[in-house]
Amino acid sequence: MHLYTLDAASSVPRVSPRFETLRVDYPQGIENGMSDRIYFRRGDLSQSYYAQSQWAQTLNRILLANLLERLRRSGIARHVIDYASQADADYELESTVYRFEQIVEGEHSYAEISIGFRLLRSDTKKLIAQKIFTARVPCPTTDARGFVEAANNALEKLGAEMVRWLARQ
């Protein structure tokens, strides 16, 4: 069995602190791909998962750790906390994973990732801003390892865009 995880933000844009405390909520998914299975889809829309490869933890947990590390390294907030913290936070960042899959078309494949973010005031739950970020990155191979490499590249792009977007709010 091969276990995979995602890089925790190897390169993150540094920005001036925009928030005092930012709480990052547990990422939600609208598809069944939030387990520890690594899914892929063929061009004919059939979906399956790799039998000998999986995520080291559920995708929700891996993405939460990735988001927390990325936001901490960016400097966007003086304090970045996760959803389980009892500390007060000025703002909350919710996320919904719409797509996190490998698309295989013949001899080629690509990672397609789409994540929606919502920034809310913690005290009023008022929605401040929302945006969906999408990236499609070619996989170097059509196996799970190739998908994980492309997914890391896609998250690098999405993460940088997310940090710049939050810095404008």
Side-chain angles (χ1 to χ4, degrees), residues 124-142:
T124 64
K125 300 299 183 196
K126 179 182 176 188
L127 180 66
I128 304 299
Q130 65 179 346
K131 185 166 179 152
I132 297 173
F133 297 91
T134 302
R136 179 184 269 192
V137 175
C139 299
T141 59
T142 57

Side-chain angles (χ1 to χ4, degrees), residues 91-163:
Y91 292 88
E92 292 180 34
L93 185 65
E94 296 179 339
S95 59
T96 302
V97 179
Y98 296 106
R99 279 200 149 169
F100 203 101
E101 63 186 357
Q102 180 181 23
I103 312 295
V104 179
E105 295 177 339
E107 300 294 317
H108 304 286
S109 67
Y110 55 89
E112 186 164 290
I113 298 174
S114 181
I115 305 174
F117 291 98
R118 290 166 304 285
L119 180 66
L120 299 96
R121 281 280 314 168
S122 292
D123 55 353
T124 64
K125 300 299 183 196
K126 179 182 176 188
L127 180 66
I128 304 299
Q130 65 179 346
K131 185 166 179 152
I132 297 173
F133 297 91
T134 302
R136 179 184 269 192
V137 175
C139 299
T141 59
T142 57
D143 58 3
R145 179 180 288 283
F147 170 59
V148 172
E149 185 177 322
N152 274 313
N153 291 336
L155 279 178
E156 193 79 26
K157 178 183 174 201
L158 290 180
E161 290 174 6
M162 176 203 59
V163 166

